[in-house]
Amino acid sequence: DAKTTQPPSMDCAEGRAANLPCNHSTISGNEYVYWYRQIHSQGPQYIIHGLKNNETNEMASLIITEDRKSSTLILPHATLRDTAVYYCIVYNTNAGKSTFGDGTTLTVKP
Amino acid sequence: DGGITQSPKYLFRKEGQNVTLSCEQNLNHDAMYWYRQDPGQGLRLIYYSQIVNDFQKGDIAEGYSVSREKKESFPLTVTSAQKNPTAFYLCASTQRWGSGELFFGEGSRLTVL
């Protein structure tokens, strides 16, 4: 499975955009990028996923570089409730398993 | 509402005792998973089941066992052979094998005294 690299922590001001980077330089052509977040002591929650095109939903936007070696999750207007650990995962549909790294702890500050 | 229910939420056990964690889903999902999470770390895969009556070892299966006799149920037993059982355990499901979107339960926190 492709490995992902994320910064261990980031801060963001409330109301500003939070941009969370992820490096996945060994991703294969048929592997997807998935993002989840985990609020303390709860189960992770799915946010968004993509293959090669940029994606947007009601929670966030996902920007994937043209070479697919990195991506950025964008929370357009961060709130205090967005404080969580964010996991970037490369998912292989054949392997059927998601491998979680240590994620990025995002702290949104007033 | 559809979802995954894990029980108990908190569990304390003495060293050497087997414990079973329950995971039930009413999403009609085919695949189910068990993850372990230690403080400050990501999730590690213990066991997974692609379909009822089938299951496979994940990355850290030693000291654990599972069964999948019903589609909606995937219990995890933490045996006395597991050297460091104290952890947060998360159950998840996907609609089918090969579908990447995981739906998680709220977790069970096991503390071995």
Side-chain angles (χ1 to χ4, degrees), chain A residues 37-45 87, chain B residues 6 9 37 43 88 90 104-107 109:
Chain A
R37 72 178 183 186
Q38 184 178 27
I39 294 170
H40 183 63
S41 294
Q42 297 183 20
Q45 174 192 23
Y87 295 102
Chain B
Q6 290 188 240
K9 193 169 174 67
Q37 187 174 35
L43 284 65
F88 188 49
L90 286 156
F104 282 89
E106 289 301 303
R109 189 169 298 280

mmCIF file of all heavy atoms in Angstrom, chain A residues 37-45 87, chain B residues 6 9 37 43 88 90 104-107 109:
data_model
loop_
_atom_site.group_PDB
_atom_site.id
_atom_site.type_symbol
_atom_site.label_atom_id
_atom_site.label_comp_id
_atom_site.label_asym_id
_atom_site.label_seq_id
_atom_site.Cartn_x
_atom_site.Cartn_y
_atom_site.Cartn_z
ATOM 1 N N ARG A 37 -11.515 12.400 9.373
ATOM 2 C CA ARG A 37 -11.092 13.137 10.552
ATOM 3 C C ARG A 37 -11.631 12.434 11.789
ATOM 4 O O ARG A 37 -12.660 11.777 11.752
ATOM 5 C CB ARG A 37 -11.554 14.582 10.518
ATOM 6 C CG ARG A 37 -13.037 14.819 10.745
ATOM 7 C CD ARG A 37 -13.308 16.301 10.720
ATOM 8 N NE ARG A 37 -14.693 16.623 10.996
ATOM 9 C CZ ARG A 37 -15.195 17.849 10.926
ATOM 10 N NH1 ARG A 37 -14.414 18.869 10.557
ATOM 11 N NH2 ARG A 37 -16.453 18.070 11.198
ATOM 12 N N GLN A 38 -10.912 12.615 12.890
ATOM 13 C CA GLN A 38 -11.276 11.972 14.146
ATOM 14 C C GLN A 38 -11.236 13.019 15.252
ATOM 15 O O GLN A 38 -10.174 13.561 15.571
ATOM 16 C CB GLN A 38 -10.312 10.828 14.475
ATOM 17 C CG GLN A 38 -10.698 10.054 15.709
ATOM 18 C CD GLN A 38 -9.765 8.892 15.985
ATOM 19 O OE1 GLN A 38 -8.606 8.908 15.606
ATOM 20 N NE2 GLN A 38 -10.274 7.873 16.669
ATOM 21 N N ILE A 39 -12.405 13.258 15.797
ATOM 22 C CA ILE A 39 -12.516 14.128 16.956
ATOM 23 C C ILE A 39 -12.211 13.260 18.169
ATOM 24 O O ILE A 39 -12.563 12.074 18.194
ATOM 25 C CB ILE A 39 -13.907 14.770 17.009
ATOM 26 C CG1 ILE A 39 -14.060 15.701 15.809
ATOM 27 C CG2 ILE A 39 -14.119 15.515 18.313
ATOM 28 C CD1 ILE A 39 -15.456 16.222 15.588
ATOM 29 N N HIS A 40 -11.612 13.847 19.162
ATOM 30 C CA HIS A 40 -11.049 13.097 20.285
ATOM 31 C C HIS A 40 -11.982 12.016 20.810
ATOM 32 O O HIS A 40 -13.139 12.266 21.123
ATOM 33 C CB HIS A 40 -10.698 14.064 21.408
ATOM 34 C CG HIS A 40 -10.038 13.399 22.571
ATOM 35 N ND1 HIS A 40 -8.812 12.765 22.458
ATOM 36 C CD2 HIS A 40 -10.433 13.227 23.848
ATOM 37 C CE1 HIS A 40 -8.488 12.263 23.624
ATOM 38 N NE2 HIS A 40 -9.448 12.531 24.499
ATOM 39 N N SER A 41 -11.443 10.776 20.849
ATOM 40 C CA SER A 41 -12.135 9.628 21.438
ATOM 41 C C SER A 41 -13.428 9.255 20.723
ATOM 42 O O SER A 41 -14.320 8.668 21.330
ATOM 43 C CB SER A 41 -12.423 9.861 22.927
ATOM 44 O OG SER A 41 -11.222 9.912 23.647
ATOM 45 N N GLN A 42 -13.543 9.602 19.454
ATOM 46 C CA GLN A 42 -14.679 9.169 18.652
ATOM 47 C C GLN A 42 -14.180 8.361 17.462
ATOM 48 O O GLN A 42 -12.974 8.311 17.190
ATOM 49 C CB GLN A 42 -15.493 10.367 18.163
ATOM 50 C CG GLN A 42 -16.129 11.175 19.277
ATOM 51 C CD GLN A 42 -16.973 12.305 18.726
ATOM 52 O OE1 GLN A 42 -17.396 12.293 17.565
ATOM 53 N NE2 GLN A 42 -17.221 13.310 19.547
ATOM 54 N N GLY A 43 -15.080 7.733 16.740
ATOM 55 C CA GLY A 43 -14.697 7.044 15.521
ATOM 56 C C GLY A 43 -14.410 8.030 14.410
ATOM 57 O O GLY A 43 -15.037 9.088 14.344
ATOM 58 N N PRO A 44 -13.449 7.742 13.535
ATOM 59 C CA PRO A 44 -13.177 8.629 12.404
ATOM 60 C C PRO A 44 -14.413 8.816 11.517
ATOM 61 O O PRO A 44 -15.275 7.939 11.433
ATOM 62 C CB PRO A 44 -12.059 7.905 11.645
ATOM 63 C CG PRO A 44 -11.394 7.061 12.689
ATOM 64 C CD PRO A 44 -12.505 6.624 13.591
ATOM 65 N N GLN A 45 -14.433 9.963 10.861
ATOM 66 C CA GLN A 45 -15.552 10.328 9.998
ATOM 67 C C GLN A 45 -15.015 10.584 8.593
ATOM 68 O O GLN A 45 -14.023 11.309 8.417
ATOM 69 C CB GLN A 45 -16.219 11.592 10.546
ATOM 70 C CG GLN A 45 -17.307 12.178 9.676
ATOM 71 C CD GLN A 45 -17.718 13.575 10.140
ATOM 72 O OE1 GLN A 45 -16.955 14.279 10.807
ATOM 73 N NE2 GLN A 45 -18.926 13.975 9.796
ATOM 74 N N TYR A 87 -6.740 12.442 8.761
ATOM 75 C CA TYR A 87 -5.969 11.354 8.169
ATOM 76 C C TYR A 87 -6.134 11.355 6.651
ATOM 77 O O TYR A 87 -7.255 11.404 6.139
ATOM 78 C CB TYR A 87 -6.454 10.005 8.688
ATOM 79 C CG TYR A 87 -6.232 9.775 10.157
ATOM 80 C CD1 TYR A 87 -7.281 9.918 11.059
ATOM 81 C CD2 TYR A 87 -4.988 9.392 10.648
ATOM 82 C CE1 TYR A 87 -7.091 9.699 12.409
ATOM 83 C CE2 TYR A 87 -4.786 9.168 11.997
ATOM 84 C CZ TYR A 87 -5.847 9.329 12.866
ATOM 85 O OH TYR A 87 -5.644 9.104 14.206
ATOM 86 N N GLN B 6 -21.087 -0.169 18.797
ATOM 87 C CA GLN B 6 -20.071 -0.924 19.518
ATOM 88 C C GLN B 6 -20.414 -0.918 21.006
ATOM 89 O O GLN B 6 -20.846 0.091 21.553
ATOM 90 C CB GLN B 6 -18.686 -0.302 19.335
ATOM 91 C CG GLN B 6 -18.123 -0.448 17.938
ATOM 92 C CD GLN B 6 -16.678 0.013 17.875
ATOM 93 O OE1 GLN B 6 -16.339 0.928 17.135
ATOM 94 N NE2 GLN B 6 -15.813 -0.637 18.659
ATOM 95 N N LYS B 9 -18.789 0.632 25.759
ATOM 96 C CA LYS B 9 -17.971 1.800 25.434
ATOM 97 C C LYS B 9 -16.677 1.794 26.255
ATOM 98 O O LYS B 9 -15.610 2.176 25.770
ATOM 99 C CB LYS B 9 -18.764 3.075 25.720
ATOM 100 C CG LYS B 9 -18.143 4.329 25.144
ATOM 101 C CD LYS B 9 -19.101 5.499 25.240
ATOM 102 C CE LYS B 9 -18.454 6.803 24.802
ATOM 103 N NZ LYS B 9 -18.140 6.820 23.384
ATOM 104 N N GLN B 37 -6.295 1.417 18.158
ATOM 105 C CA GLN B 37 -5.643 2.715 18.199
ATOM 106 C C GLN B 37 -5.011 2.927 19.568
ATOM 107 O O GLN B 37 -5.680 2.837 20.590
ATOM 108 C CB GLN B 37 -6.636 3.840 17.911
ATOM 109 C CG GLN B 37 -5.967 5.205 17.777
ATOM 110 C CD GLN B 37 -6.923 6.280 17.342
ATOM 111 O OE1 GLN B 37 -8.095 6.271 17.723
ATOM 112 N NE2 GLN B 37 -6.446 7.221 16.536
ATOM 113 N N LEU B 43 -4.639 4.360 13.274
ATOM 114 C CA LEU B 43 -5.349 3.094 13.437
ATOM 115 C C LEU B 43 -4.562 1.963 12.763
ATOM 116 O O LEU B 43 -4.015 2.141 11.671
ATOM 117 C CB LEU B 43 -6.726 3.176 12.769
ATOM 118 C CG LEU B 43 -7.823 3.947 13.484
ATOM 119 C CD1 LEU B 43 -7.509 5.417 13.603
ATOM 120 C CD2 LEU B 43 -9.147 3.753 12.762
ATOM 121 N N PHE B 88 -7.808 1.571 22.404
ATOM 122 C CA PHE B 88 -9.110 1.992 21.886
ATOM 123 C C PHE B 88 -9.375 1.150 20.647
ATOM 124 O O PHE B 88 -8.556 1.099 19.733
ATOM 125 C CB PHE B 88 -9.034 3.486 21.547
ATOM 126 C CG PHE B 88 -10.321 4.133 21.186
ATOM 127 C CD1 PHE B 88 -11.459 3.960 21.973
ATOM 128 C CD2 PHE B 88 -10.424 4.939 20.059
ATOM 129 C CE1 PHE B 88 -12.647 4.577 21.646
ATOM 130 C CE2 PHE B 88 -11.613 5.571 19.727
ATOM 131 C CZ PHE B 88 -12.730 5.390 20.520
ATOM 132 N N LEU B 90 -11.788 0.124 17.404
ATOM 133 C CA LEU B 90 -12.774 0.699 16.485
ATOM 134 C C LEU B 90 -13.220 -0.338 15.472
ATOM 135 O O LEU B 90 -12.410 -1.018 14.847
ATOM 136 C CB LEU B 90 -12.184 1.893 15.750
ATOM 137 C CG LEU B 90 -12.032 3.149 16.604
ATOM 138 C CD1 LEU B 90 -10.959 4.057 16.053
ATOM 139 C CD2 LEU B 90 -13.369 3.890 16.676
ATOM 140 N N PHE B 104 -17.529 4.163 10.709
ATOM 141 C CA PHE B 104 -16.997 3.728 11.983
ATOM 142 C C PHE B 104 -18.043 3.768 13.090
ATOM 143 O O PHE B 104 -18.957 4.608 13.086
ATOM 144 C CB PHE B 104 -15.837 4.626 12.413
ATOM 145 C CG PHE B 104 -14.547 4.333 11.701
ATOM 146 C CD1 PHE B 104 -14.247 4.964 10.515
ATOM 147 C CD2 PHE B 104 -13.642 3.428 12.234
ATOM 148 C CE1 PHE B 104 -13.056 4.698 9.854
ATOM 149 C CE2 PHE B 104 -12.454 3.156 11.586
ATOM 150 C CZ PHE B 104 -12.167 3.797 10.397
ATOM 151 N N GLY B 105 -17.849 2.863 14.062
ATOM 152 C CA GLY B 105 -18.572 2.970 15.309
ATOM 153 C C GLY B 105 -17.879 3.972 16.226
ATOM 154 O O GLY B 105 -16.882 4.586 15.855
ATOM 155 N N GLU B 106 -18.407 4.123 17.434
ATOM 156 C CA GLU B 106 -17.871 5.105 18.372
ATOM 157 C C GLU B 106 -16.711 4.571 19.200
ATOM 158 O O GLU B 106 -16.101 5.302 19.965
ATOM 159 C CB GLU B 106 -18.983 5.618 19.295
ATOM 160 C CG GLU B 106 -19.982 6.511 18.575
ATOM 161 C CD GLU B 106 -19.304 7.733 17.971
ATOM 162 O OE1 GLU B 106 -18.653 8.488 18.711
ATOM 163 O OE2 GLU B 106 -19.406 7.930 16.734
ATOM 164 N N GLY B 107 -16.415 3.305 19.053
ATOM 165 C CA GLY B 107 -15.246 2.745 19.710
ATOM 166 C C GLY B 107 -15.514 2.140 21.077
ATOM 167 O O GLY B 107 -16.508 2.469 21.734
ATOM 168 N N ARG B 109 -13.221 1.341 24.607
ATOM 169 C CA ARG B 109 -11.929 1.557 25.263
ATOM 170 C C ARG B 109 -11.723 0.463 26.297
ATOM 171 O O ARG B 109 -12.458 0.369 27.268
ATOM 172 C CB ARG B 109 -11.877 2.938 25.926
ATOM 173 C CG ARG B 109 -10.479 3.296 26.443
ATOM 174 C CD ARG B 109 -10.389 4.752 26.851
ATOM 175 N NE ARG B 109 -10.629 5.672 25.752
ATOM 176 C CZ ARG B 109 -9.747 6.012 24.830
ATOM 177 N NH1 ARG B 109 -8.518 5.503 24.869
ATOM 178 N NH2 ARG B 109 -10.065 6.869 23.879
#
